[in-house]
Amino acid sequence: MASKQPWLNPAVALGGLSPLALLAVQGAQGQLGANGIEFALNQTGLFALAVLIASLACTPLRLITGWTWPARIRRTLGLLAFTYASAHFLTYSVLDQGLDVRAMAEDVLTRPFITVGFTAFVMLVPLAVTSTNQSVRRLGFPKWQRLHRLAYVAAMLGVVHFVWRVKKDVTEPVLYGAVLALLLAVRVGEALRKKRALAAQRTA
């Protein structure tokens, strides 16, 4: 099936990177508004969270529908989420803070919304590094799978970061949180189903 859709992952990657490319062009042309850095922070952070949740939706979508194509784009979506998270962090560290390590460390230690955002970003690093088939073979699938469950924790922290960032109107981040909770419920439900089926086999 995968060989019949060789365009799938390139199309997802191209479409996923288009907003970042547009943002870079607008930034280079000075078209990001009066506070371009804040706009870039908001956009890259929003895309990072949205694409991360989209990557987490792939397995539940396959479980519910039986479609196989979501599993084939999950890695691409995960790497796109890391790309946007990296762009978000670089915008903050380079453009906003001017690579002032002391100021950034103080932010991480004293501003809770930055603390959780930075923690979420750090969690995504090992997931991106171990996204290859070679990493799956080296770690072993069970260990690799446990490691990549950190994606759910990172997404939860991303939602909290978003809530604390907007402060007043939390409608949008709460919607992201609701979608994430639904996806997690599907995964938990599937795990319980497998556990019951295994228990039934042992007692049969």
Side-chain angles (χ1 to χ4, degrees):
M1 178 65 76
S3 61
K4 294 181 181 180
Q5 296 174 317
W7 50 266
L8 186 58
N9 275 295
V12 170
L14 182 61
L17 289 173
S18 295
L20 185 60
L22 179 60
L23 187 66
V25 171
Q26 290 175 326
Q29 296 177 347
Q31 297 176 352
L32 297 182
N35 194 334
I37 293 176
E38 182 175 358
F39 180 81
L41 279 170
N42 290 339
Q43 291 298 106
T44 53
L46 180 62
F47 279 119
L49 181 59
V51 179
L52 179 58
I53 291 177
S55 73
L56 295 175
C58 290
T59 297
L61 187 60
R62 177 181 60 81
L63 292 172
I64 292 171
T65 65
W67 297 335
T68 59
W69 63 263
R72 296 200 298 276
I73 66 171
R74 180 175 54 197
R75 178 183 302 176
T76 300
L77 288 172
L79 291 173
L80 281 170
F82 179 70
T83 298
Y84 276 102
S86 298
H88 186 64
F89 177 70
L90 288 172
T91 300
Y92 163 74
S93 59
V94 177
L95 300 181
D96 189 42
Q97 296 295 319
L99 288 177
D100 187 334
V101 176
R102 180 174 296 181
M104 289 188 290
E106 184 177 351
D107 272 353
V108 170
L109 293 174
T110 62
R111 302 177 69 185
F113 93 94
I114 292 182
T115 304
V116 296
F118 181 72
T119 303
F121 174 66
V122 169
M123 285 183 174
L124 292 179
V125 174
L127 305 189
V129 171
T130 60
S131 65
T132 63
N133 291 331
Q134 291 86 347
S135 295
V136 179
R137 290 193 292 268
R138 186 174 66 252
L139 295 173
F141 182 72
K143 186 176 180 180
W144 180 90
Q145 190 177 45
R146 287 194 297 272
L147 173 64
H148 279 252
R149 286 173 183 159
L150 283 177
Y152 274 98
V153 182
M156 292 175 191
L157 292 176
V159 170
V160 174
H161 177 69
F162 195 2
V163 169
W164 287 349
R165 169 77 174 175
V166 299
K167 296 179 182 178
K168 294 182 180 180
D169 185 4
V170 298
T171 303
E172 189 174 5
V174 166
L175 286 175
Y176 280 95
V179 171
L180 181 60
L182 178 61
L183 297 176
L184 186 57
V186 173
R187 295 299 301 269
V188 170
E190 176 65 10
L192 292 175
R193 185 194 67 78
K194 288 183 177 179
K195 185 176 181 180
R196 288 194 297 268
L198 183 60
Q201 288 178 357
R202 291 174 176 174
T203 57

